[in-house]
Amino acid sequence: MDQSSSNQITESQNLNSETFSSQTEMPNQIAAVSQTEIPHMDADLYKALYRGDISFLKGKYSEFAHLQPQLTPKRNTVLHIAAQFGQLACVEWILHFHSCSPLLQQPNLKGDTPLHLAAREGHRGVVKALLDAAKTLHQEIESGVGTDEAMLRMTNKEKDTALHEAVRYHHSKVVKLLIEADPHFIYGANSTGYTPLYMAAERGYGDLVEIIIDLTRPSPNHRGIEGRTALHAAVLCRHQAMTKKILGWKPKLIKEVDENGWSPLHCAAYMLDAAITKQLLDGSSQDKSVIYLGIKDSNRTALHIASYNGCMDIVELLLSHAPDCCEQVDENGNNVFHFAMMKKHPSHFGSELLIKDGLRVRGLVNEKDAQGDTPLHLLASFGVNDVDFILDKTVDKMERNKEKLNFSDNRFSSRNKFSWGTLLALESPQLYHLRERIKEYLRRPFRPSSLQQAQVDDRFEGFKKYLRLPFRPSSLQHVIRKDDSKYGGKIDDDDKEEDKIISSAKKASETHLIVATLTATVTFAAGFTLPGGYRDTDGMAILTKKASFKAFVVSDTIALTFSVSAVFIFFSMAFQHALFYDLNMRTWLHLFSYASYLTLLGMGAMVVAFTTGLYAVLPHSFGLPILTFHCIFSSLFYLYASHVGRESMRLGRWKLKI
């Protein structure tokens, strides 16, 4: 190698990763290209590079001086193109030139070196060839870092190394090769805050997490965005094997919190994953302080989050490891029972908490928050239909908050949020008790045991005690709250979204009701003004024996039946909501879809009745075109109706997931 080439190599190697990410020094040939002129590579050369036509390259480009000035608009060199498309033969042919060494670390406009592109595309053979070529160069004098290691540590404008690129696109063989080439380097975060380990964990690449942890010496950087660790990422993607691997590697990560104060245990409770929660608790069996950690600015613990989401399995796990964590409250003074009442659950979660021996104490059940509200106040405010909790003898139903309001006052202000069953229990406990007894006997074909009977009788005693309480509020106490913000942001966003959906369904149902009523009116009138008229002798229809007349009668009857059924459903929706306040989003959407289908079918049957009626009274020369037009129109109508129905059901299923 001549002296000039050696100088070029030394100058290129002295550029470290930070220099390439901020300011890049181009070779003299590239610097000569005008900044206003868009460079372009010879078309035949570009095709030969991405096709791997090595014979063409050897025949036309015998000297490297002919290849080096060739650049694409993104400032990619010939080595960039060959490496990007994984053409190993072309890469090796380019590298055999002694003066090609500057191309190994030469970045394009985005700061990507050929190694970046090869690692991004997962071309392991090309990556190995580039690293082997870099090893043959002299060791840098100033930094003491080999050329291959300097190339591995180079970052692009996004501060991504080749390892970042290989991890992002899940190229496990390339990742292993890159780490083995420089196992002692600690990779930092890119511009978005991702380290290779965190990136692999967040994307659920368990095999890459294992490779990075096992091969990197010393331990790799585990930090990610917003101060999270790789354990946070593993928990959030609900990957048990990866969680186990990270816990075995560094158990202390369970106590690490992000910028918002969330620990991995908070994340597991938020994701409702009891299996990973158990892994975390078992991993921290020697130090249980993580259970008591509170989120920044709110001081909510994992128990509070699990209670809010109604996950009894996680609540039981947390209480089994630290029974006294139930005494913790957030910054607003809310305990585990308060959080259970802040959100509607399919099951009666508050009454399920009462069953737990470690929670069934009046100090917790009736504890007041910063605004003086007990869990029962929140149950009424949010309309949680938990009759068992309301009627439990442990719950104090007359406790008042700072506004001098008790449960009954809140109940009246939130009446439209309670279900019919809850209102029945509050207004007529005996009737509700009778209904529950009947349901109990229907579920059990045999006579209940003495223990079961004692439980039922004890519950009935709670009903009788409830009847003796002075629940009717005075005029000063009967306050309807128009602003729920006094609860400090406890209003459930799901309830707000549900109210919007129900409001939209109400407006649409009014229009559908008008259409269904008009259809019923028209078909009802057509039933008494039959086409062809009546005979004077016996008053029977004249066209009784014609097939088209029979089709008219059948289709008109179907149209009337469907439209009246739709009107009845819309009427029942309004009736139930007015009396019982028992229509939630799911019920509204189901009833609305049923009534809409019936309205569409009634309209279609009405069109059939109109066409068959005309065909029955007109000559066949006129009836045949009418029938043809009807068939075309009906086909288009039902295709449109089918499309609308599918879209409605798709949107309905999507909204039901909210």
Side-chain angles (χ1 to χ4, degrees):
M1 186 180 298
D2 56 11
Q3 184 65 28
S4 61
S5 300
S6 177
N7 293 335
Q8 291 180 358
I9 294 172
T10 305
E11 180 182 359
S12 174
Q13 292 174 350
N14 284 334
L15 296 175
N16 56 22
S17 59
E18 295 181 356
T19 305
F20 274 96
S21 62
S22 59
Q23 181 180 3
T24 304
E25 296 182 3
M26 296 291 184
N28 295 331
Q29 295 87 343
I30 300 175
V33 179
S34 175
Q35 295 299 324
T36 59
E37 179 184 353
I38 300 177
H40 62 277
M41 185 177 291
D42 182 69
D44 293 334
L45 175 60
Y46 192 91
K47 292 179 181 178
L49 288 171
Y50 77 73
R51 290 175 179 173
D53 192 351
I54 191 67
S55 60
F56 173 82
L57 296 174
K58 290 180 178 180
K60 188 173 181 179
Y61 301 96
S62 58
E63 296 182 6
F64 181 72
H66 298 154
L67 294 174
Q68 193 168 6
Q70 298 283 346
L71 296 174
T72 66
K74 199 182 288 186
R75 305 278 180 169
N76 284 321
T77 65
V78 289
L79 189 58
H80 281 92
I81 303 302
Q84 178 174 269
F85 288 98
Q87 299 299 339
L88 180 58
C90 295
V91 170
E92 292 176 343
W93 175 75
I94 296 172
L95 292 176
H96 92 281
F97 292 102
H98 294 291
S99 56
C100 75
S101 53
L103 299 185
L104 288 172
Q105 298 185 14
Q106 183 170 308
N108 60 13
L109 280 182
K110 294 189 175 181
D112 293 323
T113 64
L115 185 64
H116 280 92
L117 301 185
R120 180 183 302 161
E121 302 298 331
H123 303 311
R124 183 181 181 279
V126 175
V127 171
K128 189 176 187 303
L130 294 173
L131 294 176
D132 291 341
K135 287 180 181 179
T136 62
L137 299 178
H138 295 285
Q139 190 177 39
E140 296 184 10
I141 299 176
E142 295 182 2
S143 63
V145 178
T147 304
D148 56 334
E149 295 177 352
M151 190 168 61
L152 285 168
R153 302 176 186 186
M154 287 178 61
T155 60
N156 57 18
K157 290 187 176 181
E158 297 294 331
K159 295 187 178 180
D160 284 324
T161 63
L163 183 61
H164 283 88
E165 298 288 357
V167 170
R168 178 179 287 109
Y169 298 102
H170 200 185
H171 302 309
S172 56
K173 294 182 179 179
V174 176
V175 170
K176 185 177 181 181
L177 178 63
L178 292 173
I179 296 179
E180 288 176 344
D182 190 7
H184 300 288
F185 180 66
I186 304 300
Y187 289 88
N190 59 10
S191 59
T192 55
Y194 285 93
T195 58
L197 178 59
Y198 184 86
M199 184 184 295
E202 186 185 59
R203 294 168 184 259
Y205 301 155
D207 55 339
L208 298 189
V209 170
E210 187 171 352
I211 291 173
I212 295 173
I213 291 177
D214 292 342
L215 298 182
T216 304
R217 294 292 181 271
S219 298
N221 193 337
H222 54 77
R223 286 291 178 180
I225 59 173
E226 297 181 357
R228 296 173 187 164
T229 66
L231 185 58
H232 283 90
V235 171
L236 289 173
C237 68
R238 307 181 69 173
H239 200 301
Q240 295 185 28
M242 192 160 52
T243 302
K244 181 179 179 180
K245 178 66 178 180
I246 297 175
L247 277 175
W249 165 60
K250 190 168 289 190
K252 292 183 179 180
L253 288 182
I254 193 174
K255 296 179 63 176
E256 296 285 339
V257 297
D258 62 10
E259 295 175 357
N260 298 316
W262 282 65
S263 68
L265 189 61
H266 286 100
C267 297
Y270 176 79
M271 300 300 295
L272 306 181
D273 198 317
I276 289 184
T277 301
K278 188 176 187 303
Q279 280 185 302
L280 297 175
L281 293 176
D282 293 341
S284 62
S285 57
Q286 302 300 325
D287 186 4
K288 300 179 181 179
S289 60
V290 64
I291 303 177
Y292 304 93
L293 287 177
I295 298 175
K296 183 180 179 181
D297 298 332
S298 66
N299 201 33
R300 297 182 181 181
T301 65
L303 180 64
H304 295 152
I305 296 175
S307 178
Y308 176 78
N309 290 320
C311 187
M312 183 56 70
D313 293 337
I314 296 180
V315 170
E316 291 178 344
L317 284 171
L318 295 170
L319 292 177
S320 63
H321 283 74
D324 60 337
C325 70
C326 63
E327 298 182 0
Q328 281 190 275
V329 296
D330 69 350
E331 64 172 2
N332 293 319
N334 299 301
N335 63 19
V336 59
F337 281 99
H338 285 95
F339 280 98
M341 301 304 173
M342 292 181 187
K343 187 176 182 180
K344 293 182 179 180
H345 302 287
S347 61
H348 296 164
F349 191 70
S351 56
E352 291 181 6
L353 290 177
L354 281 174
I355 302 176
K356 305 302 175 183
D357 295 334
L359 298 178
R360 191 179 176 83
V361 289
R362 291 179 172 83
L364 288 176
V365 177
N366 300 312
E367 186 174 9
K368 293 183 178 182
D369 61 12
Q371 295 169 335
D373 290 328
T374 66
L376 190 61
H377 283 91
L378 298 187
L379 177 145
S381 298
F382 291 99
V384 178
N385 299 295
D386 195 342
V387 180
D388 294 335
F389 185 86
I390 298 173
L391 300 175
D392 191 275
K393 59 184 180 180
T394 309
V395 179
D396 187 357
K397 303 167 185 63
M398 294 305 299
E399 190 65 53
R400 300 184 184 276
N401 58 17
K402 291 184 177 180
E403 296 184 6
K404 309 302 181 183
L405 302 176
N406 59 18
F407 161 70
S408 184
D409 302 327
N410 283 20
R411 176 170 68 90
F412 274 89
S413 64
S414 305
R415 183 182 181 89
N416 60 337
K417 296 182 180 179
F418 280 121
S419 68
W420 179 81
T422 304
L423 292 175
L424 177 64
L426 298 178
E427 301 294 343
S428 180
Q430 296 95 335
L431 183 60
Y432 178 81
H433 173 70
L434 178 61
R435 190 185 73 164
E436 292 297 309
R437 289 289 296 272
I438 293 174
K439 288 168 60 177
E440 182 71 21
Y441 277 107
L442 289 177
R443 286 194 298 263
R444 299 180 179 274
F446 302 101
R447 192 174 184 85
S449 64
S450 57
L451 178 60
Q452 295 171 346
Q453 186 64 42
Q455 293 176 350
V456 173
D457 293 339
D458 180 67
R459 185 177 179 184
F460 185 58
E461 289 296 326
F463 276 101
K464 292 191 294 184
K465 182 179 179 181
Y466 170 81
L467 282 175
R468 294 192 295 269
L469 295 176
F471 266 84
R472 294 295 177 262
S474 63
S475 58
L476 294 177
Q477 297 167 342
H478 189 190
V479 179
I480 300 176
R481 295 186 178 89
K482 297 182 180 180
D483 183 14
D484 289 325
S485 61
K486 68 178 285 295
Y487 290 104
K490 300 173 190 173
I491 297 300
D492 193 3
D493 293 334
D494 296 339
D495 293 339
K496 293 182 179 180
E497 184 67 21
E498 181 177 332
D499 293 338
K500 291 180 181 179
I501 296 173
I502 294 178
S503 178
S504 300
K506 287 180 182 178
K507 294 179 181 179
S509 63
E510 293 175 0
T511 304
H512 288 208
L513 177 60
I514 295 174
V515 175
T517 304
L518 289 176
T519 304
T521 304
V522 171
T523 54
F524 181 82
F528 289 96
T529 57
L530 299 176
Y534 303 90
R535 289 194 293 265
D536 296 334
T537 56
D538 54 2
M540 301 296 291
I542 297 175
L543 304 177
T544 307
K545 296 182 180 180
K546 296 189 67 172
S548 57
F549 178 81
K550 296 178 181 178
F552 163 78
V553 174
V554 173
S555 58
D556 186 75
T557 304
I558 293 175
L560 178 64
T561 303
F562 285 159
S563 57
V564 171
S565 300
V567 171
F568 175 77
I569 292 178
F570 286 125
F571 173 77
S572 63
M573 291 167 63
F575 180 77
Q576 290 187 45
H577 181 71
L579 290 185
F580 306 117
Y581 310 98
D582 194 26
L583 289 180
N584 54 20
M585 181 180 65
R586 184 181 296 273
T587 308
W588 266 106
L589 292 178
H590 280 307
L591 293 178
F592 179 76
S593 62
Y594 295 151
S596 300
Y597 272 123
L598 290 174
T599 303
L600 287 174
L601 293 174
M603 292 171 61
M606 182 179 65
V607 174
V608 174
F610 172 78
T611 307
T612 53
L614 285 181
Y615 188 80
V617 298
L618 292 177
H620 292 289
S621 58
F622 292 99
L624 185 60
I626 293 175
L627 184 61
T628 304
F629 172 77
H630 163 70
C631 293
I632 298 174
F633 177 80
S634 298
S635 300
L636 295 176
F637 174 81
Y638 282 111
L639 285 175
Y640 173 75
S642 177
H643 172 72
V644 172
R646 286 197 301 269
E647 289 297 312
S648 300
M649 294 301 294
R650 182 180 65 83
L651 292 176
R653 286 193 295 268
W654 176 78
K655 290 179 183 296
L656 289 178
K657 294 178 182 179
I658 300 179

PDB file of all heavy atoms in Angstrom, residues 502-518:
ATOM      1  N   ILE A 502     -74.291   6.526  23.015  1.00  0.00           N
ATOM      2  CA  ILE A 502     -75.730   6.387  23.242  1.00  0.00           C
ATOM      3  C   ILE A 502     -76.471   7.613  22.724  1.00  0.00           C
ATOM      4  O   ILE A 502     -77.555   7.503  22.139  1.00  0.00           O
ATOM      5  CB  ILE A 502     -76.010   6.162  24.740  1.00  0.00           C
ATOM      6  CG1 ILE A 502     -75.441   4.804  25.186  1.00  0.00           C
ATOM      7  CG2 ILE A 502     -77.501   6.229  25.034  1.00  0.00           C
ATOM      8  CD1 ILE A 502     -75.622   4.529  26.657  1.00  0.00           C
ATOM      9  N   SER A 503     -75.904   8.790  22.898  1.00  0.00           N
ATOM     10  CA  SER A 503     -76.550  10.000  22.394  1.00  0.00           C
ATOM     11  C   SER A 503     -76.660   9.974  20.880  1.00  0.00           C
ATOM     12  O   SER A 503     -77.696  10.343  20.307  1.00  0.00           O
ATOM     13  CB  SER A 503     -75.751  11.223  22.852  1.00  0.00           C
ATOM     14  OG  SER A 503     -76.322  12.413  22.333  1.00  0.00           O
ATOM     15  N   SER A 504     -75.600   9.494  20.201  1.00  0.00           N
ATOM     16  CA  SER A 504     -75.661   9.384  18.744  1.00  0.00           C
ATOM     17  C   SER A 504     -76.696   8.358  18.313  1.00  0.00           C
ATOM     18  O   SER A 504     -77.423   8.567  17.334  1.00  0.00           O
ATOM     19  CB  SER A 504     -74.278   9.003  18.201  1.00  0.00           C
ATOM     20  OG  SER A 504     -73.316   9.966  18.544  1.00  0.00           O
ATOM     21  N   ALA A 505     -76.781   7.242  19.051  1.00  0.00           N
ATOM     22  CA  ALA A 505     -77.775   6.224  18.717  1.00  0.00           C
ATOM     23  C   ALA A 505     -79.191   6.739  18.921  1.00  0.00           C
ATOM     24  O   ALA A 505     -80.109   6.405  18.161  1.00  0.00           O
ATOM     25  CB  ALA A 505     -77.531   4.972  19.570  1.00  0.00           C
ATOM     26  N   LYS A 506     -79.397   7.576  19.929  1.00  0.00           N
ATOM     27  CA  LYS A 506     -80.722   8.158  20.160  1.00  0.00           C
ATOM     28  C   LYS A 506     -81.148   9.038  18.995  1.00  0.00           C
ATOM     29  O   LYS A 506     -82.289   8.972  18.516  1.00  0.00           O
ATOM     30  CB  LYS A 506     -80.718   8.968  21.457  1.00  0.00           C
ATOM     31  CG  LYS A 506     -80.683   8.143  22.731  1.00  0.00           C
ATOM     32  CD  LYS A 506     -80.687   9.050  23.942  1.00  0.00           C
ATOM     33  CE  LYS A 506     -80.610   8.242  25.234  1.00  0.00           C
ATOM     34  NZ  LYS A 506     -80.563   9.122  26.427  1.00  0.00           N
ATOM     35  N   LYS A 507     -80.229   9.898  18.517  1.00  0.00           N
ATOM     36  CA  LYS A 507     -80.566  10.774  17.401  1.00  0.00           C
ATOM     37  C   LYS A 507     -80.859   9.976  16.138  1.00  0.00           C
ATOM     38  O   LYS A 507     -81.802  10.290  15.398  1.00  0.00           O
ATOM     39  CB  LYS A 507     -79.410  11.744  17.155  1.00  0.00           C
ATOM     40  CG  LYS A 507     -79.174  12.730  18.292  1.00  0.00           C
ATOM     41  CD  LYS A 507     -77.999  13.642  17.994  1.00  0.00           C
ATOM     42  CE  LYS A 507     -77.755  14.616  19.149  1.00  0.00           C
ATOM     43  NZ  LYS A 507     -76.593  15.503  18.893  1.00  0.00           N
ATOM     44  N   ALA A 508     -80.046   8.936  15.880  1.00  0.00           N
ATOM     45  CA  ALA A 508     -80.293   8.115  14.699  1.00  0.00           C
ATOM     46  C   ALA A 508     -81.585   7.320  14.837  1.00  0.00           C
ATOM     47  O   ALA A 508     -82.309   7.122  13.846  1.00  0.00           O
ATOM     48  CB  ALA A 508     -79.113   7.169  14.473  1.00  0.00           C
ATOM     49  N   SER A 509     -81.909   6.870  16.040  1.00  0.00           N
ATOM     50  CA  SER A 509     -83.129   6.088  16.233  1.00  0.00           C
ATOM     51  C   SER A 509     -84.383   6.924  15.991  1.00  0.00           C
ATOM     52  O   SER A 509     -85.409   6.396  15.558  1.00  0.00           O
ATOM     53  CB  SER A 509     -83.156   5.492  17.644  1.00  0.00           C
ATOM     54  OG  SER A 509     -83.195   6.523  18.622  1.00  0.00           O
ATOM     55  N   GLU A 510     -84.307   8.223  16.236  1.00  0.00           N
ATOM     56  CA  GLU A 510     -85.463   9.086  15.960  1.00  0.00           C
ATOM     57  C   GLU A 510     -85.779   9.115  14.463  1.00  0.00           C
ATOM     58  O   GLU A 510     -86.943   9.038  14.055  1.00  0.00           O
ATOM     59  CB  GLU A 510     -85.178  10.493  16.477  1.00  0.00           C
ATOM     60  CG  GLU A 510     -85.072  10.583  18.006  1.00  0.00           C
ATOM     61  CD  GLU A 510     -84.664  11.972  18.463  1.00  0.00           C
ATOM     62  OE1 GLU A 510     -84.467  12.845  17.579  1.00  0.00           O
ATOM     63  OE2 GLU A 510     -84.536  12.199  19.688  1.00  0.00           O
ATOM     64  N   THR A 511     -84.734   9.232  13.640  1.00  0.00           N
ATOM     65  CA  THR A 511     -84.937   9.210  12.183  1.00  0.00           C
ATOM     66  C   THR A 511     -85.447   7.858  11.726  1.00  0.00           C
ATOM     67  O   THR A 511     -86.363   7.765  10.898  1.00  0.00           O
ATOM     68  CB  THR A 511     -83.612   9.552  11.473  1.00  0.00           C
ATOM     69  OG1 THR A 511     -83.144  10.818  11.940  1.00  0.00           O
ATOM     70  CG2 THR A 511     -83.804   9.605   9.972  1.00  0.00           C
ATOM     71  N   HIS A 512     -84.859   6.781  12.263  1.00  0.00           N
ATOM     72  CA  HIS A 512     -85.297   5.436  11.873  1.00  0.00           C
ATOM     73  C   HIS A 512     -86.736   5.182  12.303  1.00  0.00           C
ATOM     74  O   HIS A 512     -87.474   4.467  11.613  1.00  0.00           O
ATOM     75  CB  HIS A 512     -84.356   4.400  12.495  1.00  0.00           C
ATOM     76  CG  HIS A 512     -83.008   4.379  11.852  1.00  0.00           C
ATOM     77  ND1 HIS A 512     -82.226   3.261  11.809  1.00  0.00           N
ATOM     78  CD2 HIS A 512     -82.298   5.343  11.222  1.00  0.00           C
ATOM     79  CE1 HIS A 512     -81.095   3.522  11.198  1.00  0.00           C
ATOM     80  NE2 HIS A 512     -81.124   4.793  10.832  1.00  0.00           N
ATOM     81  N   LEU A 513     -87.124   5.735  13.419  1.00  0.00           N
ATOM     82  CA  LEU A 513     -88.498   5.564  13.888  1.00  0.00           C
ATOM     83  C   LEU A 513     -89.490   6.211  12.924  1.00  0.00           C
ATOM     84  O   LEU A 513     -90.559   5.650  12.646  1.00  0.00           O
ATOM     85  CB  LEU A 513     -88.646   6.166  15.285  1.00  0.00           C
ATOM     86  CG  LEU A 513     -90.052   6.137  15.903  1.00  0.00           C
ATOM     87  CD1 LEU A 513     -90.542   4.700  16.033  1.00  0.00           C
ATOM     88  CD2 LEU A 513     -90.050   6.839  17.249  1.00  0.00           C
ATOM     89  N   ILE A 514     -89.135   7.369  12.394  1.00  0.00           N
ATOM     90  CA  ILE A 514     -90.015   8.027  11.418  1.00  0.00           C
ATOM     91  C   ILE A 514     -90.153   7.176  10.161  1.00  0.00           C
ATOM     92  O   ILE A 514     -91.258   6.996   9.622  1.00  0.00           O
ATOM     93  CB  ILE A 514     -89.462   9.425  11.084  1.00  0.00           C
ATOM     94  CG1 ILE A 514     -89.496  10.314  12.328  1.00  0.00           C
ATOM     95  CG2 ILE A 514     -90.258  10.066   9.945  1.00  0.00           C
ATOM     96  CD1 ILE A 514     -88.837  11.662  12.127  1.00  0.00           C
ATOM     97  N   VAL A 515     -89.025   6.636   9.676  1.00  0.00           N
ATOM     98  CA  VAL A 515     -89.058   5.787   8.476  1.00  0.00           C
ATOM     99  C   VAL A 515     -89.893   4.537   8.719  1.00  0.00           C
ATOM    100  O   VAL A 515     -90.728   4.149   7.883  1.00  0.00           O
ATOM    101  CB  VAL A 515     -87.626   5.416   8.056  1.00  0.00           C
ATOM    102  CG1 VAL A 515     -87.650   4.441   6.886  1.00  0.00           C
ATOM    103  CG2 VAL A 515     -86.843   6.663   7.676  1.00  0.00           C
ATOM    104  N   ALA A 516     -89.692   3.887   9.868  1.00  0.00           N
ATOM    105  CA  ALA A 516     -90.457   2.681  10.174  1.00  0.00           C
ATOM    106  C   ALA A 516     -91.943   2.991  10.313  1.00  0.00           C
ATOM    107  O   ALA A 516     -92.797   2.211   9.861  1.00  0.00           O
ATOM    108  CB  ALA A 516     -89.920   2.043  11.459  1.00  0.00           C
ATOM    109  N   THR A 517     -92.273   4.120  10.906  1.00  0.00           N
ATOM    110  CA  THR A 517     -93.689   4.505  11.055  1.00  0.00           C
ATOM    111  C   THR A 517     -94.340   4.767   9.705  1.00  0.00           C
ATOM    112  O   THR A 517     -95.486   4.350   9.454  1.00  0.00           O
ATOM    113  CB  THR A 517     -93.797   5.749  11.945  1.00  0.00           C
ATOM    114  OG1 THR A 517     -93.149   5.484  13.196  1.00  0.00           O
ATOM    115  CG2 THR A 517     -95.243   6.107  12.198  1.00  0.00           C
ATOM    116  N   LEU A 518     -93.643   5.455   8.817  1.00  0.00           N
ATOM    117  CA  LEU A 518     -94.185   5.710   7.475  1.00  0.00           C
ATOM    118  C   LEU A 518     -94.383   4.403   6.715  1.00  0.00           C
ATOM    119  O   LEU A 518     -95.404   4.223   6.020  1.00  0.00           O
ATOM    120  CB  LEU A 518     -93.239   6.629   6.707  1.00  0.00           C
ATOM    121  CG  LEU A 518     -93.183   8.090   7.174  1.00  0.00           C
ATOM    122  CD1 LEU A 518     -92.122   8.855   6.391  1.00  0.00           C
ATOM    123  CD2 LEU A 518     -94.544   8.760   7.003  1.00  0.00           C
TER     124      LEU A 518
END
